[in-house]
Amino acid sequence: RLDFLDTGDELTSVRAAFSWSYRRLSEPAARLFRLLGAHTGPDFSAPAAASLAGVPDALPALDELTDAHLLTRTPDERYYFHDLVRIFARGLTTEDERRDAVQRLLDHYLHSAYRSRDPLAVSRNRLTLADPLPEVTPETLPDEPSRWAWYEAEIDVLTSLVTASEQAGFDTRTWQLTWFLTTALERTGRWQEWSEAAEIGLAAAERLGDVYARSRMRHFLGRAYRRAGRLDESVTAMTAAIEDYRGLGELIGEGSAFQVLAALHGEQGRPAEALAAAREALALAEQADDRLGAASALNQIGWFCGELGDHRAAIEHCERAVVLHQQAGDADRVAEAVALDSVAHSQRHLGDLAGAAATSERAVEIFRAASYRVLEAQALVNLGDTHHAAGEAERARQTWQYALAIYEHLGDRAADQVRDRLTEWAATPSSG
């Protein structure tokens, strides 16, 4: 693109203009500019730039680059290149220099995520990172709000780095980065990007011949395919993950995979098979002394008991799940809300509409606080159903419309079911 815009005249050539600005930079700023050409974008933070350059503080060089109009600073203190400037910067480095820069970026982002030790890191499972390269300084994210804010700011960077890592041949870092991205992509409803990242991560694990990595990537791929509506492919991936876990003796992973398999059977209209898979997940969690896994399996057992018509058994199992999740503290609030949503569903079917509404509202509040939009929408649908059963037609409509807006924003296939509810609502005499 720069060649196309090269007029041959130093006064009007785009490349010449960039070169003039670049030659006026100090050496630290010029070096950072060259290295930033390897950043995958779309933007970056000052700490990431410092790790890339191997310096304690990149702000002086970043200030110099913004003053020279080679970088733009956003109001939230992030930086980005114009596309043509990025191309120019990349042209100043060799392939080896760019590969080294990608490695430093990967170490920065991987170790920042790892040091968080939060649920997004899937910390109940084994993951060991190699030491970062010298002078890479990962960020410290002390609490859940700061961790999630970091993921929201960096998710596009992390997603683009999966491809860059694969192209540079960093197979171990590729599947590990996919690991850290999984819950963030699920929470934000980015099913296609999640599926693509998991496919790349699985290919990397297979090239390495690492069975444990392969088991995790198959597991994540199965979850991604399920969310994307690719149910048959999801079943295939989850079945393969279960075989890997079984061969490794990984009881927690196997139990978690059975929970996904239970959900898949449920979506395919096979509640009896789903209940059997959920019970298998509970047995594995109890064998592994995995309290959180047991709580999630109890919730699933309760849900599918309800699907089979036994709502009293459903509430009994799901309320046990709620208690176990509450005992885990703040680390498991989202799973607690999932169980609350299940309780509300069966309360409604047993005629306890006031209790169902109150329980659903608690679940919605937790999901909203955690920015877990897809689960918030799911709980809102349940709440709308309760309002409708109570004869509160307008409240039901408003609640469903809010859920529909979330699903449409996420591009989730569940939007069709909410539209059906709204269509049926509009067709009833009471709706007018």
Side-chain angles (χ1 to χ4, degrees):
R1 290 168 64 185
L2 284 174
D3 289 341
F4 179 77
L5 295 171
D6 193 346
T7 64
D9 182 346
E10 191 163 335
L11 294 177
T12 58
S13 169
V14 172
R15 192 191 304 274
F18 294 160
S19 296
W20 184 84
S21 298
Y22 170 71
R23 288 195 299 267
R24 293 174 61 88
L25 296 173
S26 67
E27 175 49 34
R31 178 174 177 271
L32 178 60
F33 178 75
R34 294 192 300 272
L35 293 174
L36 284 170
H39 197 288
T40 56
D43 56 12
F44 52 88
S45 65
S51 286
L52 180 62
V55 297
D57 182 8
L59 284 175
L62 290 169
D63 288 342
E64 188 175 344
L65 291 172
T66 54
D67 290 344
H69 306 292
L70 292 171
L71 281 182
T72 300
R73 182 189 292 111
T74 67
D76 57 349
E77 298 298 318
R78 295 182 67 82
Y79 300 83
Y80 68 90
F81 277 121
H82 184 282
D83 284 349
L84 292 176
V85 179
R86 184 189 304 278
I87 293 169
F88 175 74
R90 284 181 64 85
L92 299 173
T93 57
T94 66
E95 184 175 343
D96 286 344
E97 288 172 326
R98 290 192 294 272
R99 189 175 187 277
D100 180 68
V102 169
Q103 186 175 2
R104 297 181 70 81
L105 287 171
L106 285 165
D107 282 2
H108 174 85
Y109 290 114
L110 280 169
H111 282 270
S112 295
Y114 185 78
R115 287 169 58 174
S116 303
R117 292 294 204 282
D118 75 320
L120 294 177
V122 201
S123 58
R124 290 192 304 137
N125 299 281
R126 290 192 289 109
L127 179 64
T128 302
L129 300 183
D131 291 338
L133 292 175
E135 298 176 329
V136 169
T137 308
E139 298 172 64
T140 299
L141 311 169
D143 52 36
E144 174 60 21
S146 66
R147 286 191 288 262
W148 182 240
W150 183 83
Y151 271 97
E152 286 187 308
E154 302 289 2
I155 190 167
D156 290 328
V157 175
L158 297 172
T159 304
S160 65
L161 266 177
V162 171
T163 301
S165 180
E166 179 196 37
Q167 291 173 345
F170 298 121
D171 284 337
T172 298
R173 288 174 172 84
T174 298
W175 74 260
Q176 290 174 340
L177 184 59
T178 301
W179 177 306
F180 286 115
L181 262 172
T182 287
T183 301
L185 290 172
E186 181 178 31
R187 188 181 287 196
T188 51
R190 297 165 72 152
W191 318 136
Q192 182 61 34
E193 290 166 286
W194 186 14
S195 298
E196 291 171 356
E199 288 168 350
I200 292 171
L202 176 56
E206 289 175 334
R207 283 192 296 270
L208 290 166
D210 185 333
V211 179
Y212 179 71
R214 185 181 70 189
S215 70
R216 298 307 308 174
M217 293 302 103
R218 283 174 165 172
H219 190 151
F220 295 158
L221 185 59
R223 286 170 54 189
Y225 281 163
R226 177 195 162 218
R227 287 297 192 184
R230 299 163 64 174
L231 301 187
D232 290 341
E233 292 170 276
S234 180
V235 169
T236 299
M238 295 314 303
T239 302
I242 287 170
E243 291 175 359
D244 278 345
Y245 285 135
R246 194 164 288 162
L248 293 165
E250 288 282 342
L251 297 177
I252 291 177
E254 184 182 352
S256 179
F258 264 106
Q259 288 185 41
V260 179
L261 203 57
L264 284 163
H265 290 326
E267 291 182 25
Q268 292 173 323
R270 302 200 297 268
E273 292 179 54
L275 181 58
R279 285 179 169 150
E280 181 68 23
L282 177 61
L284 288 161
E286 289 176 341
Q287 186 179 348
D289 194 25
D290 176 17
R291 291 173 61 84
L292 297 182
S296 294
L298 280 168
N299 174 59
Q300 279 197 317
I301 290 170
W303 176 265
F304 291 116
C305 282
E307 291 290 280
L308 291 166
D310 190 349
H311 289 287
R312 295 192 184 282
I315 289 177
E316 178 186 347
H317 283 90
C318 295
E319 285 184 338
R320 285 175 60 197
V322 170
V323 171
L324 286 173
H325 286 307
Q326 287 174 340
Q327 290 173 349
D330 291 342
D332 217 36
R333 292 301 308 282
V334 169
E336 175 192 340
V338 171
L340 286 169
D341 190 47
S342 300
V343 171
H345 181 264
S346 285
Q347 285 175 320
R348 182 176 77 250
H349 280 83
L350 290 174
D352 181 9
L353 300 183
T359 305
S360 283
E361 286 167 357
R362 286 170 60 196
V364 169
E365 181 181 346
I366 293 171
F367 291 138
R368 189 170 294 160
S371 300
Y372 219 129
R373 303 303 306 284
V374 66
L375 294 180
E376 179 187 348
Q378 178 180 305
L380 284 168
V381 172
N382 196 10
L383 178 58
D385 290 349
T386 299
H387 290 324
H388 189 266
E392 300 174 335
E394 182 57 26
R395 290 187 72 184
R397 182 188 68 81
Q398 292 176 356
T399 305
W400 287 333
Q401 284 189 328
Y402 193 6
L404 178 61
I406 295 174
Y407 280 138
E408 288 180 336
H409 175 72
L410 298 176
D412 194 287
R413 57 198 167 94
D416 291 338
Q417 297 173 3
V418 184
R419 292 191 193 97
D420 290 344
R421 281 173 167 79
L422 288 166
T423 300
E424 292 171 8
W425 175 90
T428 58
S430 62
S431 68

